Every structure is written in structure tokens, then in C-alpha cells.
Amino acid sequence: MEQKLDQIQSATLAQIGAAASTDEIENIRVRVLGRKGELTQILRTLGELSPEERARMGQKSNAVKAAIEEALEEKKSGLSEAKISELLREEWIDVTLDGADSSRGFSRGRMHPLSQVQYEVEDIFTSMGFEILDGPEVETEYNNFEALNIPPYHPARDLQDTFWTEDGNLLRTHTSAIQIRGMKTHKPPFRVIGPGRVFRYEEIDASHENTFYQIEGMMVDRDISVAHLIFIMKQLLSAIFRKEVKVRLRPSYYPFVEPGFDLDFNCLICGGKGCRVCKHSGWIEFLGCGQVHPNVLRMGGIDPEAYSGFAFGMGLNRLVMMKFGVNDIRHFMGGDIRFLEQF
Ligand code: PHE
């Protein structure tokens, strides 16, 4: 029996030494110390021995059992420590990593090109002392037409141009409605701009959309003339295109200005020599503008004998198209991520 015990001890300790997982350790424990384990079975036979033998073998087998238990414990804690450090090594997370790295499949959002240029224009105007105003997209007929000196028979009111709501309001067709709101809240002298989305019932093609963006501007003070308007427009365009830009005025008609103009700037693509973009004229049509009509001032509660002002309304989409070389207005509302990712 003594021999048998020694054999169990050395064989088991060797197996424990070779075990590579806590599962293996558990198997060894069951095989040797379990209810039907090798050592357990030997202990059961102790009763058959003589009293002296029993005492000696009892001591011996307890020592063997203790040695095995100790080795099992030691190995087990060694293995679980190894397991923990392996987990630490493999499932380690660097919480300081930059999440917006596209190599890990995470793409960063960006601002829409219309917003980018709108904010840029806003900065340029606020640096010149203009205040930014807002207005609703669903407007009254009064603010969009009547107060702007557009009589009921004017073709701009035509059902073909305007989206009307069932209760007699409309989707604003231009940001000029914001001027009217500005005159209600401001007393001259004042300088305001009003950026916003506008709507027209249009056939859509590469240069026409039913939804687009404008920026309105208005400056009212004593003795404001077209010269002030030209100066401000040159400042704006030179700041946006980061070079000296020439402008020219052509007479044009808008019911809310008198005299009214269309303002062009020199084509920056061909430098004025003539190309496809400027339709070989050397000039890009940019915005409508003029001296605020006395009727409009009067309806806004401003005395046209004492004050004068200029107003302008520019298409933001066209400005963005010029700045970034976009050749189709439909891209702006198209929602194609491949287009938007370029800005
Ligand atoms: N509201 C005009 C348009 O949408 C532009 C404009 C604004 C013209 C102000 C003159 C003065 O076409």
C-alpha cells in the first residue's frame, strides 16, 4: 500500500505540473480525490489493516492527500492568474483612442456646403455691422407680396410660381419677406441680413430647384445710395473668393426697389475672357438689388423723405456652385453622400 501511495503521489504531481488549464486540474482532482478517486478508494481500505498499520498508512495517505491538494491549489491559482493576464493582454481597450479614424470604419460628419458658405457670408456681414434676422418658411401673403409692393395682379403671385397653403398662407418665395419683419422690429439706421430657405413651384433642371437658399440684405439710413450697395457687394465677393472681384449693375425690375438692378461679377473661371460658365459674356449674374421703394419704406413705418436704403437678395446655391465648381443645383437637396463628402 505504501508503494501504491507513493506512486499515486508522484504520478499525480507530474500530471498537475503538466496541466495547462483549470479544467484539466479539476479532472485530475476528481480522478484522484473524488468519491470514486484512486486515493479515496485506498483510504476506504484502511479499515482492513492492523491497528498499527492503519495508523501509519492513515498518516501516510493524509500526507499524500495534503500534498496533492496543495499542488492542485497552487497550480489552479497560477493558471487563473495566467488567464487574467491573457485577458488583459487580448481584450485590452485603449479608451483614449480617437474614435473618428476612418480606418476603423467610422466616418466623420461634415457641414453641408450651403451651410458652410452661409456661415461664411454671415461672418462677413456681421464684421461690417450687419445683424442676422430670421423668419418663418410659411409666410403671410402680406409679408411675402403686399408689403413688398407686389400688387395682387402681379405675375409673381401666380399659382404657377407659389406654393399656397390651404389657409391662404404660402411658402415664402424669397427672403425679401424677412426685410418686412426687420422693418417692424428696427428703427433706422439699421443693417440686417436674412438668410433662409425659399420655395418656388418650378420645373427642376440643372439650374432650377423648387427649394433653394437665399440671403437677403437691407441697409437703411440717411443718404444711403447705390454707391454703398456696390461697395458692400465688392467687399462680400472679394472676401468669399479671396481676390479682387469686379461688379457691374444692369437695370432690372423688382416691384420693391426703384431703381432696381441685377448685379453681376466678373467670371472667375475665365478671368473675363468668356467661357461656358459665364456663357461667353465674361460676367456671372449674381443677385437682384436696388434702392428700397418708397412704398415699401412707408409700409414698414419709415419716412422715405428722411431715409433711404438699399436691399439685395442673393441666391446662395449659385454662390456655392461658383465657389466649389458644382455644375448641377440638384446635388444640394439630392442627399447623395458621395457629393456631400467632398466638402
Ligand atoms: N427677392 C428678389 C428675388 O428673389 C431679389 C431681390 C431682393 C431683388 C432685394 C431686389 C432687392 O429674386
Side-chain angles (χ1 to χ4, degrees):
M1 179 178 278
E2 191 164 7
Q3 232 179 2
K4 180 87 180 145
L5 284 171
D6 285 339
Q7 202 193 327
I8 290 178
Q9 172 162 358
S10 58
T12 308
L13 291 183
Q15 283 166 11
I16 293 172
S21 72
T22 48
D23 281 353
E24 267 180 70
I25 291 292
E26 179 61 11
N27 287 342
I28 295 169
R29 192 189 65 77
V30 171
R31 206 168 59 235
V32 182
L33 305 178
R35 264 196 312 135
K36 291 181 183 154
E38 285 174 72
L39 189 60
T40 317
Q41 268 163 1
I42 290 183
L43 291 176
R44 289 215 181 104
T45 61
L46 284 179
E48 295 159 18
L49 299 175
S50 64
E52 310 90 76
E53 273 291 278
R54 196 189 309 155
R56 212 163 61 79
M57 282 305 125
Q59 238 173 17
K60 172 86 184 171
S61 36
N62 278 337
V64 170
K65 189 176 174 189
I68 291 175
E69 273 174 346
E70 194 187 325
L72 282 171
E73 239 356 274
E74 207 172 286
K75 183 73 184 195
K76 205 161 133 188
S77 67
L79 281 175
S80 51
E81 260 169 44
K83 179 91 190 159
I84 288 171
S85 43
E86 184 188 313
L87 279 178
L88 280 175
R89 203 170 51 246
E90 290 190 351
E91 301 189 3
W92 175 83
I93 295 170
D94 183 352
V95 294
T96 66
L97 265 188
D98 176 9
D101 177 348
S102 56
S103 70
R104 280 190 298 277
F106 186 96
S107 66
R108 194 194 290 263
R110 17 166 98 55
M111 222 192 291
H112 195 285
L114 282 169
S115 306
Q116 287 181 28
V117 176
Q118 179 184 318
Y119 293 159
E120 199 178 329
V121 171
E122 287 179 5
D123 282 349
I124 295 165
F125 275 106
T126 46
S127 78
M128 294 191 286
F130 283 73
E131 184 188 333
I132 302 166
L133 298 185
D134 201 5
E137 291 174 352
V138 177
E139 261 293 5
T140 61
E141 189 197 331
Y142 180 83
N143 284 344
N144 195 80
F145 290 134
E146 201 173 326
L148 284 159
N149 203 31
I150 305 174
Y153 51 80
H154 194 280
R157 290 197 178 200
D158 205 310
L159 280 175
Q160 267 135 40
D161 294 313
T162 307
F163 290 109
W164 294 88
T165 62
E166 278 167 6
D167 58 4
N169 289 318
L170 48 81
L171 299 188
R172 67 179 171 204
T173 59
H174 51 186
T175 44
S176 299
I178 300 177
Q179 294 184 19
I180 302 305
R181 292 178 173 271
M183 284 190 288
K184 280 183 196 149
T185 51
H186 292 68
K187 291 281 149 258
F190 64 81
R191 291 168 236 189
V192 294
I193 58 165
R197 187 154 62 156
V198 302
F199 308 87
R200 287 187 202 169
Y201 193 27
E202 298 246 22
E203 193 80 55
I204 294 172
D205 63 27
S207 47
H208 295 89
E209 251 288 16
N210 56 28
T211 303
F212 54 101
Y213 287 75
Q214 287 190 328
I215 299 180
E216 192 77 7
M218 187 184 210
M219 177 168 179
V220 179
D221 199 347
R222 295 186 194 277
D223 303 321
I224 292 294
S225 74
V226 176
H228 296 106
L229 169 67
I230 294 172
F231 174 78
I232 297 281
M233 289 299 112
K234 280 180 130 173
Q235 291 290 313
L236 168 71
L237 291 165
S238 302
I240 288 197
F241 293 109
R242 296 183 174 80
K243 54 173 120 165
E244 185 83 25
V245 177
K246 287 202 206 95
V247 300
R248 74 171 185 189
L249 297 185
R250 284 177 291 110
S252 186
Y253 171 70
Y254 298 94
F256 31 94
V257 285
E258 179 57 39
F261 308 98
D262 280 326
L263 184 140
D264 305 338
F265 62 86
N266 62 313
C267 181
L268 300 168
I269 307 232
C270 62
K273 287 201 273 313
C275 67
R276 258 183 36 209
V277 176
C278 61
K279 300 194 190 99
H280 301 283
S281 70
W283 294 93
I284 304 283
E285 202 180 315
F286 181 44
L287 52 70
C289 57
Q291 290 288 92
V292 183
H293 197 289
N295 288 348
V296 175
L297 288 176
R298 215 173 283 123
M299 275 188 276
I302 296 168
D303 177 6
E305 301 294 328
Y307 291 101
S308 58
F310 65 74
F312 59 86
M314 71 180 85
L316 186 59
N317 300 62
R318 176 163 303 179
L319 193 57
V320 177
M321 289 167 89
M322 260 322 252
K323 190 171 160 81
F324 293 128
V326 177
N327 60 9
D328 193 319
I329 195 172
R330 289 169 291 195
H331 286 311
F332 291 117
M333 305 294 286
D336 188 333
I337 222 95
R338 292 167 305 177
F339 169 72
L340 297 171
E341 275 175 352
Q342 296 173 53
F343 302 95

